[in-house]
Amino acid sequence: MRPIIAVLCSTTHPTGATIQTRDSAGRPYSEAICRAGGVPVLVPLGDDEVAVRTVVSLAHGLLVTGGVDIAPGAYDEATLPECGEIDPLRDLADRWALQEALSRPLPSAGSAGTLAGMPLLGICRGIQSLAAFLGGSLYQDIPNHRQAEARNVPTQEVVVEEGTLLAGIVGAGALSVNTFHHQAVRRVPSGFRVSARAADGTIEGIEAADGAFRLGVQWHPEDLAADFAPHQALFDAFVQAAGGAA
Ligand SMILES: [Mn+2]
């Protein structure tokens, strides 16, 4: 059986009076998961905590997708004017989904038995979710990380730190990435470490310090995965950690 990956939706507000607000997730997430041998299941938003938790509980891994900004109250800060659009339902869904995902045993847990929870991959807003909802904090506005080029075009380099889980997947050293964010991880949550930084020092990757597959990246690997092997490798490793074939 192929591992099920829960994919958090974002809210979209199509224009037009007869078109209702929608929950959606970019198709590149699903395509990258399918190529890796997983089965994506979208998690709708809403104020029904049990509904969100139930969908996540049926999955073997959780993908925390990109999206709008997180309300800074999550990390006990006042909202600055530079903070962008927020979505309270998405904040709730992220919180519930992370709690649910972290309360379940890892399929690949070793004999030590210290690892808890299902594999997690946080992308863009997703890495910020890991930071904001697990005890870290964010910069509410940073310059020079929003490229004008197409989403599948790498425009910046990050340096992946040797000895990290991320380095084992994409290789240590320079990695070409895309960049579509104006917020970034400021304080890394307890139990996590930095795995990659941009040239300006911006944190571009964090991961669980205990080796569990809980990984966040600030770029959008799903948009590069079809063309660049290291970015697909991230999804391959994620699905494999969730119980898929190598
Ligand atoms: Mn960046």
Side-chain angles (χ1 to χ4, degrees):
M1 184 176 141
R2 292 162 61 179
I4 296 167
I5 305 297
V7 179
L8 281 159
C9 284
S10 283
T11 302
T12 55
H13 303 281
T15 51
T18 62
I19 302 175
Q20 293 167 319
T21 297
R22 297 175 181 187
D23 292 335
S24 67
R27 184 174 295 171
Y29 294 117
S30 296
E31 291 175 341
I33 290 167
C34 286
R35 280 195 299 269
V39 174
V41 173
L42 303 192
V43 183
L45 306 185
D47 59 5
D48 188 331
E49 180 174 355
V50 172
V52 171
R53 284 182 178 272
T54 299
V55 177
V56 174
S57 75
L58 296 171
H60 305 103
L62 173 66
L63 175 59
V64 187
T65 54
V68 297
D69 291 348
I70 294 164
Y75 44 94
D76 294 326
E77 285 186 16
T79 303
L80 302 177
E82 296 78 16
C83 187
E85 179 191 354
I86 60 160
D87 182 347
L89 285 182
R90 175 64 202 271
D91 286 0
L92 278 175
D94 279 16
R95 194 185 284 277
W96 294 331
L98 285 170
Q99 284 174 357
E100 187 66 30
L102 292 171
S103 70
R104 303 195 51 222
L106 257 192
S108 56
S111 54
T114 53
L115 305 182
M118 65 174 67
L120 287 180
L121 178 60
I123 292 177
C124 199
R125 174 202 157 95
I127 186 179
Q128 297 169 11
S129 265
L130 295 181
F133 296 122
L134 299 180
S137 71
L138 305 179
Y139 290 107
Q140 292 188 36
D141 191 46
I142 62 161
N144 304 324
H145 280 264
R146 187 111 71 176
Q147 72 185 44
E149 291 83 352
R151 300 188 66 86
N152 63 343
V153 177
T155 62
Q156 292 188 353
E157 276 194 350
V158 300
V159 174
V160 178
E161 298 196 8
E162 219 168 309
T164 58
L165 180 62
L166 183 62
I169 299 166
V170 304
L175 177 70
S176 294
V177 303
N178 51 15
T179 187
F180 297 99
H181 59 111
H182 82 109
Q183 298 199 329
V185 175
R186 182 173 194 167
R187 187 176 70 240
V188 176
S190 169
F192 281 77
R193 62 179 173 180
V194 173
S195 59
R197 286 184 190 271
D200 64 4
T202 297
I203 293 174
E204 294 273 347
I206 64 172
E207 63 183 45
D210 66 2
F213 199 105
R214 290 179 203 137
L215 214 147
V217 296
Q218 185 57 70
W219 67 93
H220 278 278
E222 77 280 9
D223 290 317
L224 301 169
D227 301 320
F228 301 96
H231 299 286
Q232 180 60 40
L234 207 44
F235 291 92
D236 295 349
F238 177 39
V239 169
Q240 192 182 336

